[in-house]
Amino acid sequence: MTRPRVLVGVSTLLMTVSACGSSQACGGVGVVAGVGVYVVHEGYGDLAGASVELCAKGKCVKGRLPDADITIVNLPLPDDVGPDIGTVRLRITRRGADKPLVDASAEKKLTHQSDGCGGGAYNGAFAFTKEEGLTANVPKSVSVAWYRQVMERATAEPTSSASS
């Protein structure tokens, strides 16, 4: 078999066994099951370096909060998770502290996000603010502030270490 025929054969095989089994790409490649929390730092002073823990369905993710106005903490869940995940718990502990500054819980049903090919995953977003605590709805003001923060960082001047 000649090299071009092998490449065409491999391409055809990949299209056949890929997401939809057609030549059209699936729109939701990368849809993952999980929950995310927009953590608004305002009202807590400096939270940079504080430990953060997000738990749901017996799974937890731990990390440190960066120096930012808003942080998104994501917890991937198994692909077979359904809409009912029970309680989502968020804990934030300042660096060097023994007790959490924040220990909040909330519940919500997750939403199914299609992958455009007959599959998909359940996921959902929460928000945490000093005024409202952990809520199952992300206020528009929080998502707008997050977007603004991302755009400011994307258009910021590179640091001297990044430009060398």
Side-chain angles (χ1 to χ4, degrees):
M1 202 181 247
T2 64
R3 187 173 176 98
R5 284 188 183 168
V6 170
L7 291 175
V8 169
V10 169
S11 296
T12 303
L13 177 64
L14 287 174
M15 285 185 342
T16 303
V17 298
S18 70
C20 296
S22 73
S23 61
Q24 284 191 330
C26 292
V29 173
V31 174
V32 294
V35 294
V37 177
Y38 290 82
V39 178
V40 179
H41 298 218
E42 185 178 357
Y44 286 100
D46 185 15
L47 287 178
S51 67
V52 61
E53 180 182 48
L54 178 62
C55 300
K57 289 290 279 184
K59 306 274 184 211
C60 294
V61 65
K62 295 178 182 184
R64 297 260 175 217
L65 293 177
D67 184 12
D69 295 332
I70 301 174
T71 303
I72 295 183
V73 180
N74 289 306
L75 172 62
L77 293 172
D79 290 336
D80 63 351
V81 72
D84 298 315
I85 60 161
T87 300
V88 172
R89 187 172 187 180
L90 175 72
R91 288 188 202 121
I92 300 172
T93 307
R94 287 192 191 278
R95 193 180 287 264
D98 294 329
K99 260 178 73 176
L101 173 67
V102 171
D103 190 350
S105 300
E107 293 187 14
K108 88 183 262 179
K109 288 196 181 279
L110 300 184
T111 304
H112 187 266
Q113 300 293 315
S114 173
D115 66 1
C117 299
Y122 282 92
N123 50 51
F126 292 76
F128 177 81
T129 63
K130 184 156 185 154
E131 299 80 27
E132 300 291 325
L134 185 61
T135 63
N137 297 311
V138 179
K140 184 171 181 151
S141 61
V142 171
S143 58
V144 167
W146 166 254
Y147 177 77
R148 191 174 328 122
Q149 176 179 285
V150 169
M151 294 309 294
E152 286 172 1
R153 287 186 178 173
T155 59
E157 298 263 338
T159 63
S160 58
S161 63
S163 60
S164 17

